[in-house]
Amino acid sequence: MPELPDVEIYKRYLDATALHKTITAIEVGSAAILRATSGRMLAQALRGRSMERTWRHGKHLLAALDDGRWLTLHFGMTGRLKYFKDLKDDPAYDRLRFDFANGYHLAYESRRLLGEVGLIEDPGAFLAARRLGPDAMALDRARFLERMRGRRGQVKSALMDQHFLAGIGNVYSDEILFRARLHPKTPVQHLDDAQRSDLYRAMREVLQTAIDRGAGRDGLADRLPPSYLLPHRERGAACPRCGGEIRTLSCAGRTAYYCPRCQPIAT
DNA sequence: AGTACCACCTGACGGC
DNA sequence: TGCCGTCAGGTGGTAC
């Protein structure tokens, strides 16, 4: 479930491995992840190029090529990156493989084909076309509160709405609401100033902690503080705060996990 | 503007 | 054993 912290880790991984290396070829394992481009177009555009720097906005990872164009990577639900030397280490579900002049390879892996890789000219236009909201970690408190002022509906829906805020999905929104002690269905318009500030603080704390503890790699739940909901995010588990039973409900078409005692419904 | 629902996709899992 | 429905969840489209 690559959300903002996971994609941030992928960004750092790409920065540490694949930057400034000449691309000699690409191998398209599944054209389904290429929407607006084709394997042939992509191969032609990338051959001889290198990625020079990266940018993350929400769940999107953008890589600037040395000719001014940009590669866009979105990971859907199951996407990740793997840098490796020996082709026998090529992961299953490798959908797009970059081959570099140094003999190494970078695989864009995705079991379910819900992600997307593309080639664009202008990152600003790309983000605007998708009507993405500001990145959740790049947003200061004043701007967060300002956006919240015009918002109605369930607080969990707001956190997950990429047009409102970019980067938060189902899993981290549960954690943020748990830490802020807010019921997922609390109407935004019923939150007072103190609650909105708490929500902002919880959002930053959760996203930063997940980044610091190495999101995007297996076993994150074991590395998070035991007081977090994520290690206990399953039906029937005990709330790490009050010992009550973690419950689920349906919100914005997703399954939300929460503690009914710590996160009472506020109306 | 916000919500509900569907589709996309693949693998895991429980029921029978 | 093996078939089948359901679920996982990010996104985008549609209808209301």
Side-chain angles (χ1 to χ4, degrees), chain A residues 55 147 160 175:
Chain A
W55 184 256
R147 288 187 77 75
M160 291 197 302
E175 186 68 63

Side-chain angles (χ1 to χ4, degrees), chain A residues 42-242:
Chain A
L42 196 62
Q44 203 163 40
L46 293 180
R47 196 174 301 120
R49 303 274 64 77
S50 61
M51 297 181 236
E52 291 300 310
R53 64 183 192 284
T54 57
W55 184 256
R56 184 191 55 71
H57 187 101
K59 303 171 188 174
H60 291 267
L61 180 55
L62 310 181
L65 301 170
D66 60 351
D67 67 353
R69 291 203 272 184
W70 294 73
L71 204 53
T72 66
L73 302 162
H74 188 278
F75 297 94
M77 252 185 70
T78 56
R80 57 182 178 176
L81 298 173
K82 182 182 177 183
Y83 185 75
F84 60 101
K85 180 162 194 180
D86 199 327
L87 276 180
K88 76 168 165 41
D89 295 326
D90 197 354
Y93 312 115
D94 179 354
R95 309 304 191 183
L96 177 62
R97 194 187 74 220
F98 302 83
D99 297 340
F100 298 107
N102 68 352
Y104 279 77
H105 314 275
L106 180 72
Y108 169 93
E109 285 180 78
S110 180
R111 187 157 53 79
R112 295 174 226 178
L113 298 164
L114 297 175
E116 178 182 1
V117 176
L119 190 66
I120 59 163
E121 308 279 338
D122 179 359
F126 173 79
L127 300 177
R130 286 167 190 254
R131 300 178 8 259
L132 287 176
D135 181 82
M137 277 306 269
L139 187 69
D140 65 28
R141 199 174 73 99
R143 195 137 158 261
F144 176 82
L145 295 175
E146 181 196 319
R147 288 187 77 75
M148 290 289 279
R149 271 196 280 280
R151 183 75 189 195
R152 301 169 64 255
Q154 304 168 348
V155 64
K156 183 174 169 69
S157 299
L159 288 179
M160 291 197 302
D161 183 349
Q162 302 302 298
H163 305 129
F164 180 64
L165 270 185
I168 298 169
N170 195 29
V171 173
Y172 289 106
S173 63
D174 279 353
E175 186 68 63
I176 291 164
L177 293 171
F178 178 73
R179 305 219 68 73
R181 301 185 187 236
L182 293 175
H183 189 283
K185 287 188 179 292
T186 308
V188 170
Q189 63 270 33
H190 292 176
L191 298 176
D192 63 28
D193 289 349
Q195 288 173 311
R196 291 170 188 222
S197 288
D198 283 348
L199 182 60
Y200 176 75
R201 193 181 316 129
M203 176 180 81
R204 290 196 66 88
E205 192 243 324
V206 166
L207 297 176
Q208 190 61 55
T209 299
I211 293 168
D212 293 343
R213 304 288 172 109
R217 302 202 315 268
D218 292 342
L220 172 67
D222 299 328
R223 296 191 297 273
L224 288 174
S227 61
Y228 267 43
L229 172 66
L230 256 54
H232 316 275
R233 192 175 177 271
E234 53 191 83
R235 266 202 185 78
C239 168
R241 191 149 52 202
C242 76

Side-chain angles (χ1 to χ4, degrees), chain A residues 21-43:
Chain A
K21 295 187 169 70
T22 302
I23 299 165
T24 53
I26 64 163
E27 175 75 26
V28 177
S30 173
I33 58 155
L34 309 175
R35 309 284 160 76
T37 185
S38 68
R40 191 189 301 176
M41 279 170 55
L42 196 62

